[in-house]
Amino acid sequence: MKEATVQMPRQMSTLAEGVDDVYYFIFWVSVVLFVAVIGATVWFLIAYRREKNPQSTPPGHHDVLELFWTFAPLILLVPMFHWGFRDYVKAMVAPTDSMELRIKAKQWAWDIYHPEMTEPVPGELVVPIGRPVKAILSSEDVLHSFFVPEFRVKRDVVPGMYTSVWFEATVITSRFNAATKKLEGAPIDLFCTEYCGKSHSQMLATVHIVSEQDYEAYIKAISDFEPTQDKGKELFAKNGCTACHSVDGTPLIGPTLKGLFGKTESLDGGGTITVDENYIRESILKPEAKKVAGFSNAVMPPFVMSDKKIEALIMYIKSLK
Ligand code: CUA
């Protein structure tokens, strides 16, 4: 596996080497042609300048030269097409034994649904090394795009349709510490690479590549979740809540969560409500149900979340005095 170069990040999937080989072939062909064309231009400028050649004497015809510039590009373009197409097909068709998971994009977070799980893990994609993974991508609102540079894969995530992407990771980045139930290491980034609104640049997730054993342990650990205030804080960041809700009193796109618990809020459309556990739960699962006055234009996507996780978030929100 090649390390990062000036132009390319580290190669970390089985697709990366092929992509880079085609890229560098095209790059160096372009460099050679650029130097040759500019070099010839400069040489002609000097050799055929006006003082030396006051009268232009263009040649009528040159068979060898014409055959050369017809067939030379063909010799370069056919391999470019062949290699590019071969790797494109490889990148588009997932192996039949791929492990399947679903990834949902929304403003402005990535929800990862591991195989056989009904509840997503936000902002954290964990995959085992050496196993092809096929991700079924869908969007809950606008156009997003899935991009992991180290894997050399990029795919649009389009509202109203499914797209998919596959990769097989080749380098371990992280290990799962069974004692602390935390991932440790140097994860890589999953970017959104389609401008999707105000906080597009914050729409990131981390990608951890772990060993097969660590993967099993991780899946087991996320299936049994115990709510704590710290975990609530973690969920708050990973679900992308920070893009719209501050915790220091500043109103952003949505109301601040500082001092929210127990407060009486006026509602959009009249009436008031005292913020309690039920109101927070409802606002996470059905954000449009009761909106705070002054935020009628703010749109929050509904979240799929178990009661244990909502409990952790409530613990965290209560702590924001
Ligand atoms: Cu989602 Cu940019």
Side-chain angles (χ1 to χ4, degrees), residues 10-308:
R10 198 172 171 201
Q11 295 178 347
M12 293 176 75
S13 85
T14 51
L15 299 167
E17 200 178 346
V19 170
D20 289 8
D21 288 350
V22 180
Y23 172 78
Y24 280 115
F25 178 72
I26 295 172
F27 175 77
W28 285 112
V29 164
S30 308
V31 168
V32 169
L33 288 178
F34 175 81
V35 170
V37 169
I38 298 297
T41 309
V42 171
W43 182 61
F44 287 149
L45 266 172
I46 295 162
Y48 297 96
R49 62 188 185 278
R50 193 152 64 175
E51 301 110 72
K52 271 188 88 181
N53 297 279
Q55 195 66 44
S56 80
T57 50
H61 198 73
H62 199 299
D63 283 335
V64 178
L65 201 59
E66 288 201 7
L67 286 171
F68 171 74
W69 69 47
T70 305
F71 287 101
L74 202 67
I75 291 166
L76 293 172
L77 292 173
V78 168
M80 278 181 200
F81 172 77
H82 173 76
W83 290 333
F85 188 64
R86 186 193 59 188
D87 287 342
Y88 175 76
V89 169
K90 197 176 156 196
M92 290 306 288
V93 184
T96 45
D97 61 343
S98 298
M99 177 181 111
E100 248 181 53
L101 48 85
R102 287 180 298 135
I103 299 181
K104 282 191 184 175
K106 63 183 179 204
Q107 286 168 321
W108 289 280
W110 297 97
D111 276 346
I112 319 295
Y113 290 77
H114 288 280
E116 286 160 51
M117 292 219 172
T118 48
E119 192 198 353
V121 179
E124 192 174 82
L125 173 58
V126 180
V127 292
I129 188 172
R131 205 169 352 148
V133 175
K134 181 180 181 183
I136 315 289
L137 309 169
S138 60
S139 165
E140 292 188 3
D141 36 49
V142 299
L143 189 58
H144 302 275
S145 189
F146 176 101
F147 183 35
V148 181
E150 283 84 354
F151 290 165
R152 310 290 192 271
V153 293
K154 184 189 269 186
R155 193 77 71 245
D156 275 1
V157 186
V158 189
M161 71 179 276
Y162 292 100
T163 52
S164 72
V165 72
W166 85 273
F167 50 82
E168 181 181 330
T170 52
V171 181
I172 287 184
T173 64
S174 313
R175 59 180 295 271
F176 182 68
N177 187 328
T180 60
K181 304 211 163 159
K182 285 207 185 312
L183 289 151
E184 296 161 355
I188 52 176
D189 286 317
L190 156 56
F191 293 91
C192 175
T193 184
E194 183 76 54
Y195 180 70
C196 57
K198 187 174 166 283
S199 299
H200 151 74
S201 62
Q202 289 169 40
M203 190 169 162
L204 298 161
T206 46
V207 182
H208 294 271
I209 305 156
V210 297
S211 69
E212 196 74 38
Q213 296 93 300
D214 278 1
Y215 181 72
E216 305 288 324
Y218 169 79
I219 292 292
K220 200 175 162 293
I222 56 169
S223 335
D224 40 58
F225 178 92
E226 280 311 315
T228 62
Q229 188 183 310
D230 279 348
K231 283 186 188 158
K233 188 178 180 180
E234 214 176 284
L235 284 170
F236 187 72
K238 283 183 180 162
N239 276 289
C241 313
T242 43
C244 304
H245 297 287
S246 79
V247 295
D248 63 358
T250 332
L252 300 176
I253 293 170
T256 182
L257 300 189
K258 186 184 172 159
L260 181 72
F261 199 86
K263 193 172 158 192
T264 303
E265 293 272 29
S266 322
L267 293 177
D268 186 37
T272 59
I273 196 162
T274 302
V275 178
D276 60 1
E277 285 89 349
N278 284 316
Y279 179 62
I280 294 177
R281 182 172 187 277
E282 183 183 57
S283 300
I284 293 169
L285 301 175
K286 285 186 224 136
E288 300 295 303
K290 296 188 189 84
K291 289 166 99 168
V292 171
F295 294 95
S296 51
N297 291 328
V299 179
M300 172 170 156
F303 285 78
V304 179
M305 200 176 275
S306 69
D307 282 341
K308 281 187 171 180

